[in-house]
Structure formats: C-alpha cells, structure tokens
Amino acid sequence: MARLYVLLFLVQIVLAVCALISCLSADEEKVKALPRMIWVLIILFFPLVGSIAWFLVGRERPAGTVGVTGTARPAAPARPPLAPDDDPEFLASLDERSRREDQERLRLWEEDLRRREEELRGRPDDRDRPEV
C-alpha cells in the first residue's frame, strides 16, 4: 500500500511540474481566467487540483482539441508556412524583379553601345593618317 502512495505522490509531483512549466511558458494572451502568477500560486499550493485546473481551465487549448463539453472545436484552416523556395508568391516576385533588372541592364548596354558608336563616328579614321 505504501508503494501506491509513493507512486501517486510522484504522479502528483510530475503533474505539478508539467503544469508549472506549461503555465510559465505560455504566452500571456493564452492564459485564461486568472493572471499567470495566481495560476503559479494555485499550482504550488494545491498541486493536484491546481494542476488539473490549469490544464482544464487556465490555458487556451490548441484548435481542434476536444474541450470539457466533449465537443471538438473546429480547427482553423491555416496555411502552413512555406519555405521561400516553395512559396509561389515569393517565386513570382523574384521572377518579376529579375525581369526588371534584366531590362534595365539591357537598356544600359544599349545606351553604352550607342555612345561608343557615336564616339567612333566622330573620330577620324586612323587608316587615313600617314604612318610615321
């Protein structure tokens, strides 16, 4: 019988530690019903009841989990984050930016070519000069 009490005591301690970690690591906007420090005190002074209360009432459960009433909340249709090389919008923006840069580079090359051609037209031809 003593082993059962020791086992139940250890389960209570593990539950309280898990509740404390969960409470202290939860975002402030996900803590419900009471301020975070009150939840910590409840878990510390009433480990079994406080831990169970924290997991049932004190924190916001992820979407799609079954609540106290037994009804499942609908999961929010969230688009999973994509890596940049998988995101079609990002790839399209890269393609557009690359196209604009190529057009600008081509325009600059054409201007440079026109300028050089005009310089060559304005300069006298070296073949007409006598050799020294």
Side-chain angles (χ1 to χ4, degrees):
M1 193 68 166
R3 290 183 199 169
L4 180 62
Y5 288 135
V6 170
L7 180 65
L8 290 176
F9 178 74
L10 290 176
V11 168
Q12 175 181 337
I13 297 298
V14 168
L15 184 63
V17 168
C18 290
L20 275 173
I21 291 171
S22 174
C23 180
L24 293 173
S25 65
D27 291 334
E28 191 65 40
E29 58 269 359
K30 293 191 178 194
V31 176
K32 298 187 328 184
L34 297 171
R36 180 190 317 255
M37 289 315 297
I38 301 297
W39 278 113
V40 169
L41 292 175
I42 289 173
I43 294 168
L44 287 175
F45 289 127
F46 309 102
L48 184 61
V49 176
S51 301
I52 293 171
W54 165 252
F55 286 119
L56 293 179
V57 180
R59 67 185 179 119
E60 186 176 305
R61 288 182 297 281
T65 58
V66 177
V68 177
T69 60
T71 59
R73 287 190 268 164
R79 180 177 147 195
L82 296 174
D85 57 342
D86 292 336
D87 189 5
E89 294 172 9
F90 179 73
L91 293 174
S93 71
L94 280 180
D95 188 41
E96 179 62 30
R97 184 171 53 183
S98 175
R99 190 175 301 119
R100 276 185 276 139
E101 289 173 355
D102 290 345
Q103 289 173 350
E104 178 65 19
R105 188 175 301 119
L106 182 61
R107 185 186 64 77
L108 291 173
W109 284 347
E110 288 174 345
E111 285 178 7
D112 186 48
L113 180 63
R114 279 191 212 105
R115 183 184 51 80
R116 288 181 184 199
E117 285 176 348
E118 288 176 7
E119 285 177 2
L120 288 175
R121 283 189 199 126
R123 192 168 26 165
D125 195 3
D126 289 338
R127 288 177 282 164
D128 295 339
R129 290 189 194 169
E131 292 185 26
V132 177

